Amino acid sequence: MRLQLLFFLSLSALVSGGESSHDAERRMHPVFSLMGTGSTPIGGGRYKRAMPQIVFDAVRSEERYAEYWQGLAAQTLDQQLESKLRLNTQLARNVLLFIGDGMSIPTITAGRVYLGGEEKQFAFEQFPYVGLSKTYCANMQVADSACTATAYLGGVKANYGTIGVSAAVQFKDCQAQAQAAHHVSSIAAWAQKQGMATGLVTTTSVTHASPAGVYAHLANRNWENDAEVVGDNGDPDLCPDAAAQLINSPVGQKLNVIMGGGRENFLPKGVTDSSGAPGRRLDGRNLIDEWKNQHTNSAHYVENRRELLNLSNHTSRVLGLFAPYHMAYHLDASPAEQPTLEEMVQSAMEILERQSAGRGYFLFVEGGRIDHGHHDTLALRAIDETAEFDKAVRFARSHTSTDDTLIVVSSDHSHTMSLAGYSSRKNDIFGINDGQLAADDLPYATLSYANGPGYDSNYLREGGAVRRKNLRAINMKNKDFMFPSTVPLESETHGGDDVAVFASGPYAQLFTGVFEQHFIPHALGYASCLSDRNMCVDEGVARRPR
């Protein structure tokens, strides 16, 4: 009660202008406490607002000196001049689009510390060109993975919850979905028309919102199987579900590589998969068998890591479904059973390169479970998934040439996680802020969320009062720890802030500045001569650059 009274008195003073400019400055920008003997702050203990002096333990001893930082800046300047003064205007024979689902800029920043320190870099951060993408839907300030997939794959802003259709289609409007005039074709479709090999790889179900943007046209992202369509009083014959479209649509049938989870959406009820999980389809169709029957003996269906890594060098197509629904988080996965995202990308690139016959390929890759970790305020899982995502990017860039392969890395939307406080260098990113106590004399987490289920796991209710738990008594390094949330929600929401875009290869310079998210496939298409406006002299599979 006393704490609440002090808060409201302070707030009243601020609103009424009772705080001097100097007081405001000290409040907003706390300074180091003076030191007494040894390393104990004068007055003892840690202050609520003023920071105790933190002994700076330099990563390298040379960091103490100006010359170190000046030399680092000179090295960066040389790198920037070398990469920017010679523009790469060659044809992008191969195009790889990597999407870290929910990979906000704070996620990247926290991920660097997870890699070993604030000065570390992900592989994609070393790409020479960086921009910002505006992610809103046609009808929503804060986007979901469905409308954004339509934007970064199809080049059109769409309504929240819809995939591969224009904004003329409202959520759950089956009749509108059925009208071909409303369909938006993806860059995978553009690539197939030019004779390129195509594929998708994800750690979610292959019928989930992001990968479905490659091949599907849906008025509801949840229509992953026909039971979901029926549940919304839709007609599966008029509005086929995502799994059916993946197997039977023109784009889906031509995909050389399909890898992720989602077996349950391809199997009928009454049939179980290899793990014992039941199918969900009501139409009695086994879409996995249908896929096998559509293709030749050089097409293979695989369900585990061993089968994937033992694929024949003559494999022309692969359908890899490694889980009943989403693949397990990397921290939970059985290394013997589930391939990593890097391993899936490696196999995909080998198949696509063989099948491209010199015409190039398009590959969509999603690190989809970054998003799921954030929704449950499981920051450790989300950031570990980001590190795994980066391994796949690193492999792709190190095994292709920047002369003819364009790689773009981005996110579909952000999340509400923030990295805050005045912690010392190398402080545990999943721990408490080591520079400041809160006004309730308790420590607070460096990472927290604006909303989400972490509210309930970080607050105590006693006698009608609500107070925070003491985080010192909690194992925050537990992968199942839900990080603090300000607003209680069953699931943490997406954020509306811009996301970063990193590019390397032919015409990577197009991905600089601030631009609408739906610009991305148009720039990819220009660089690879897949769009109406491109950098080639002729059309067709020859695609000779100007």
Side-chain angles (χ1 to χ4, degrees):
M1 186 66 183
R2 180 175 173 272
L3 184 62
Q4 291 175 323
L5 178 61
L6 287 173
F7 171 78
F8 284 114
L9 287 174
S10 300
L11 180 62
S12 176
L14 291 175
V15 173
S16 62
E19 184 181 38
S20 72
S21 59
H22 291 291
D23 290 339
E25 179 63 26
R26 282 190 287 271
R27 174 177 58 80
M28 291 184 287
H29 302 105
V31 295
F32 291 101
S33 306
L34 295 174
M35 299 298 290
T37 57
S39 59
T40 303
I42 293 175
R46 300 172 74 189
Y47 296 97
K48 297 176 184 177
R49 291 181 178 170
M51 293 172 63
Q53 182 167 322
I54 297 171
V55 178
F56 176 50
D57 185 14
V59 177
R60 304 177 181 86
S61 59
E62 58 265 30
E63 283 192 11
R64 299 177 184 273
Y65 306 102
E67 291 79 7
Y68 169 79
W69 301 103
Q70 292 165 348
L72 187 61
Q75 179 183 342
T76 303
L77 179 59
D78 289 340
Q79 292 171 346
Q80 292 282 41
L81 290 171
E82 182 180 0
S83 65
K84 303 297 192 297
L85 291 180
R86 295 196 306 271
L87 296 180
N88 184 344
T89 57
Q90 299 299 309
L91 169 70
R93 185 176 70 89
N94 307 314
V95 175
L96 292 86
L97 177 59
F98 284 81
I99 294 293
D101 197 315
M103 190 178 68
S104 61
I105 292 175
T107 302
I108 296 171
T109 304
R112 296 179 195 137
V113 185
Y114 183 58
L115 291 182
E118 295 79 2
E119 74 286 352
K120 298 295 184 181
Q121 279 189 313
F122 286 111
F124 55 79
E125 291 186 276
Q126 298 169 31
F127 288 5
Y129 295 96
V130 183
L132 290 174
S133 166
K134 298 159 66 176
T135 63
Y136 63 91
C137 301
N139 64 342
M140 297 282 280
Q141 283 184 339
V142 177
D144 77 324
S145 295
C147 77
T148 53
T150 309
Y152 63 71
L153 286 166
V156 172
K157 291 261 186 184
N159 290 329
Y160 188 97
T162 66
I163 302 171
V165 292
S166 70
V169 177
Q170 298 300 316
F171 186 59
K172 294 187 180 181
D173 189 342
C174 179
Q175 295 290 334
Q177 172 185 317
Q179 297 182 39
H182 297 156
H183 292 181
V184 173
S185 62
S186 74
I187 188 171
W190 309 349
Q192 289 175 355
K193 287 181 180 178
Q194 296 285 17
M196 296 171 67
T198 53
L200 67 86
V201 173
T202 180
T203 53
T204 68
S205 170
V206 295
T207 55
H208 208 234
S210 300
V214 172
Y215 60 85
H217 310 287
L218 295 166
N220 184 349
R221 58 175 289 171
N222 296 323
W223 291 348
E224 297 185 57
N225 57 69
D226 66 325
E228 297 291 343
V229 181
V230 172
D232 280 335
N233 297 316
D235 181 354
D237 293 326
L238 183 64
C239 297
D241 58 272
Q245 291 190 48
L246 179 54
I247 301 303
N248 296 304
S249 72
V251 175
Q253 286 184 331
K254 293 178 183 176
L255 289 172
N256 298 88
V257 171
I258 304 166
M259 292 189 203
R263 289 191 296 260
E264 65 180 24
N265 296 313
F266 295 83
L267 297 175
K269 281 192 171 183
V271 173
T272 58
D273 69 6
S274 56
S275 70
R280 300 194 61 199
R281 301 196 65 81
L282 299 179
D283 56 13
R285 296 169 63 188
N286 184 322
L287 296 179
I288 296 174
D289 286 344
E290 290 187 19
W291 182 88
K292 293 177 182 177
N293 293 331
Q294 284 176 4
H295 303 293
T296 65
N297 291 335
S298 61
H300 297 285
Y301 170 69
V302 296
E303 287 193 350
N304 57 52
R305 180 175 183 265
R306 177 184 55 80
E307 291 175 349
L308 176 67
L309 299 185
N310 289 333
L311 280 174
S312 163
N313 289 336
H314 301 291
T315 299
S316 61
R317 298 179 191 276
V318 62
L319 172 62
L321 300 178
F322 303 106
Y325 194 37
H326 300 315
M327 294 177 67
Y329 286 107
H330 167 251
L331 291 174
D332 298 331
S334 166
E337 290 297 317
Q338 179 172 293
T340 65
L341 184 59
E342 180 183 10
E343 288 171 337
M344 290 192 290
V345 168
Q346 179 178 352
S347 294
M349 290 173 61
E350 290 172 355
I351 293 170
L352 292 174
E353 183 62 41
R354 287 197 305 268
Q355 296 304 307
S356 67
R359 295 188 292 270
Y361 60 83
F362 169 78
L363 176 61
F364 172 75
V365 181
E366 182 200 24
R369 306 226 60 192
I370 301 170
D371 175 71
H372 297 163
H374 279 318
H375 277 304
D376 288 332
T377 65
L378 300 172
L380 176 56
R381 291 180 185 272
I383 292 170
D384 180 75
E385 290 294 309
T386 304
E388 288 299 300
F389 173 76
D390 183 63
K391 291 177 183 177
V393 176
R394 185 183 300 276
F395 176 88
R397 185 68 288 175
S398 64
H399 287 77
T400 53
S401 170
T402 55
D403 291 338
D404 67 357
T405 300
L406 172 62
I407 299 181
V408 172
V409 178
S410 188
S411 176
D412 47 356
H413 53 72
S414 68
H415 272 273
T416 71
M417 188 194 79
S418 66
L419 188 157
Y422 301 101
S423 292
S424 60
R425 283 277 297 275
K426 299 293 185 181
N427 186 50
D428 185 356
I429 194 65
F430 302 114
I432 61 173
N433 182 293
D434 69 354
Q436 192 178 41
L437 290 178
D440 57 4
D441 288 320
L442 292 173
Y444 61 93
T446 301
L447 301 179
S448 62
Y449 291 83
N451 55 54
Y455 180 92
D456 289 331
S457 61
N458 285 277
Y459 286 86
L460 293 171
R461 292 177 174 85
E462 293 181 345
V466 178
R467 64 181 179 86
R468 295 193 306 127
K469 292 180 180 179
N470 188 345
L471 293 177
R472 293 194 191 97
I474 297 174
N475 178 15
M476 299 173 65
K477 294 297 289 289
N478 186 318
K479 62 186 179 181
D480 294 320
F481 173 70
M482 290 184 173
F483 278 70
S485 309
T486 304
V487 176
L489 285 177
E490 181 181 5
S491 177
E492 180 262 359
T493 70
H494 296 164
D497 37 314
D498 297 351
V499 296
V501 182
F502 306 87
S504 171
Y507 281 95
Q509 61 269 21
L510 296 178
F511 299 90
T512 56
V514 181
F515 44 81
E516 300 286 356
Q517 190 173 51
H518 76 278
F519 163 75
I520 291 174
H522 294 282
L524 295 174
Y526 182 90
S528 54
C529 295
L530 299 180
S531 61
D532 292 337
R533 183 179 179 185
N534 59 59
M535 48 76 66
C536 286
V537 175
D538 56 356
E539 302 297 331
V541 296
R543 293 185 298 152
R544 291 185 295 112
R546 296 184 190 279

